[in-house]
Amino acid sequence: MRIRDMVARAFCKRAENDQASPMEPVDAAEPPEGPVSAEEVLLGCSFATRDDALRALSKHAVDLGIASDPDELMDAFLEREAEGTTGMMDSFAIPHAKSASISRVAVLVAKSRRDIGSWETMDGVPVRVVIALLVPDDQANTEHLRMLAKMAEALMDEGFRTRLRRSDDVACIAAEVNRHLR
């Protein structure tokens, strides 16, 4: 079963039961270790399109030393999008890229103040929260799939989705994502 299908089934199941309640927020004072640091969280963005969001994430990855070439990283994102949208449900997207220009496994999070246009989603709800997975080519088959599965599982958690949508604290967002990547 494809991860996208697993997420869709989980969202539908949650909607049917509708008994899930957001869990307590993660304490950012003792953030779980993981690939996301506060500097890898972008808040207050205003992306007009999917490509604007992916371009900004590509540039940010280069600025942080995670990748060496923003154009190569952008091409990797678009190559994956050509296989099928990474827009999920409930305003989330999980774009992912495998590239030789990526030096280490990383996760970037970006929140847009406005709906991101032209990003197809499974439920038609516009994307506002982007969780981008970046993996070097040499780790593509192992770490890439593990992280993708963990993020798909996290998106099944209503509390996780709510905390990410509502939080404006980069340390709390990083800690929340890291907690789910363990």
Side-chain angles (χ1 to χ4, degrees), residues 14-182:
R14 287 274 196 193
E16 288 170 8
N17 295 337
D18 207 16
Q19 296 174 2
S21 61
M23 297 170 11
E24 292 298 312
V26 169
D27 181 6
E30 293 185 34
E33 288 187 27
V36 184
S37 68
E39 69 182 357
E40 292 162 338
V41 177
L42 299 172
L43 299 179
C45 304
S46 187
F47 305 123
T49 67
R50 176 201 71 190
D51 289 2
D52 289 344
L54 295 176
R55 195 170 294 107
L57 288 165
S58 297
K59 181 182 180 320
H60 192 61
V62 170
D63 291 346
L64 294 176
I66 296 166
S68 59
D69 184 339
D71 295 327
E72 187 175 324
L73 183 53
M74 179 67 176
D75 289 345
F77 277 128
L78 293 176
E79 184 178 317
R80 171 55 189 89
E81 290 293 327
E83 295 174 17
T85 185
T86 58
M88 303 307 278
M89 298 178 81
D90 205 18
S91 74
F92 283 83
I94 312 175
H96 37 288
K98 300 175 280 187
S99 170
S101 78
I102 299 170
S103 60
R104 66 175 173 86
V105 171
V107 177
L108 302 178
V109 179
K111 290 179 59 178
S112 182
R113 291 188 309 264
R114 66 188 220 182
D115 295 346
I116 301 174
S118 74
W119 205 325
E120 291 180 38
T121 61
M122 295 164 53
D123 61 356
V125 174
V127 171
R128 284 194 169 220
V129 182
V130 181
I131 303 170
L133 311 178
L134 291 80
V135 180
D137 269 342
D138 63 350
Q139 297 178 33
N141 291 331
T142 55
E143 191 61 17
H144 174 251
L145 294 175
R146 185 192 73 77
M147 287 174 39
L148 189 56
K150 292 279 189 180
M151 279 297 92
E153 184 178 316
L155 288 179
M156 294 178 205
D157 178 350
E158 180 183 344
F160 173 80
R161 296 188 317 269
T162 299
R163 285 187 295 279
L164 259 61
R165 276 195 307 270
R166 290 183 180 169
S167 182
D168 288 326
D169 182 314
V170 293
C172 286
I173 291 170
E176 181 69 15
V177 172
N178 285 331
R179 184 171 72 86
H180 284 275
L181 284 172
R182 285 191 274 176

